[in-house]
Amino acid sequence: SAEFKSSFDSEFTPWGNVISGDELPYIPRVQLHASAGVADRRWAATAGATFTSRMRTQAGQGTIMRAESTDPALVVNLSGEFALTPITKLFVSVQNVFDRHYIVARRPAGVRPGMPRTIVAGLRIRS
């Protein structure tokens, strides 16, 4: 819970004309993360999920208008690795597994989407 304690006029667009008690933009009321993993001597796998509630994109009070907010989002990520040798590992990571489409920002120049499903894989060599 983050709010302005005084009223003022700001040239910073997301703040604008602030009234004492206005909530700061881009501060979610709820953000939760949970993850779990399993591992053996040669492999490991992890699953994680992050929930972020809707956020204001403009300072204000009361009900958050859709045109001045982000979307609530639940994003699931998976990762794993397998040791080929004591110094080399194959790895893969999938972010936003379900390819959820959501708005993470509306500034500086309009709606900004969350990261689409992204897969990163490779070989890690430790010297």
Side-chain angles (χ1 to χ4, degrees):
S1 178
E3 65 181 46
F4 291 99
K5 295 296 184 186
S6 60
S7 300
F8 60 94
D9 291 334
S10 174
E11 292 182 22
F12 182 56
T13 306
W15 293 1
N17 299 326
V18 173
I19 298 170
S20 180
D22 280 356
E23 294 177 344
L24 273 77
Y26 294 104
I27 308 271
R29 289 184 181 170
V30 176
Q31 187 169 22
L32 301 170
H33 176 79
S35 64
V38 292
D40 193 14
R41 201 171 49 82
R42 293 191 60 188
W43 60 271
T46 304
T50 301
F51 171 77
T52 304
S53 65
R54 179 190 311 209
M55 296 180 280
R56 293 181 179 281
T57 58
Q58 180 75 37
Q61 298 181 35
T63 303
I64 303 173
M65 294 189 303
R66 177 140 171 77
E68 292 181 355
S69 73
T70 64
D71 292 332
L74 176 63
V75 178
V76 176
N77 303 317
L78 299 173
S79 65
E81 65 180 31
F82 181 79
L84 297 173
T85 71
I87 65 167
T88 59
K89 292 182 180 180
L90 289 174
F91 69 89
V92 65
S93 171
V94 182
Q95 297 174 327
N96 194 2
V97 170
F98 301 111
D99 201 23
R100 174 146 164 79
H101 299 107
Y102 57 100
I103 297 170
V104 296
R106 292 187 179 269
R107 303 194 187 281
V111 171
R112 302 283 189 224
M115 183 163 60
R117 180 185 303 125
T118 303
I119 300 171
V120 176
L123 180 66
R124 190 174 293 130
I125 300 172
R126 183 182 56 158
S127 59

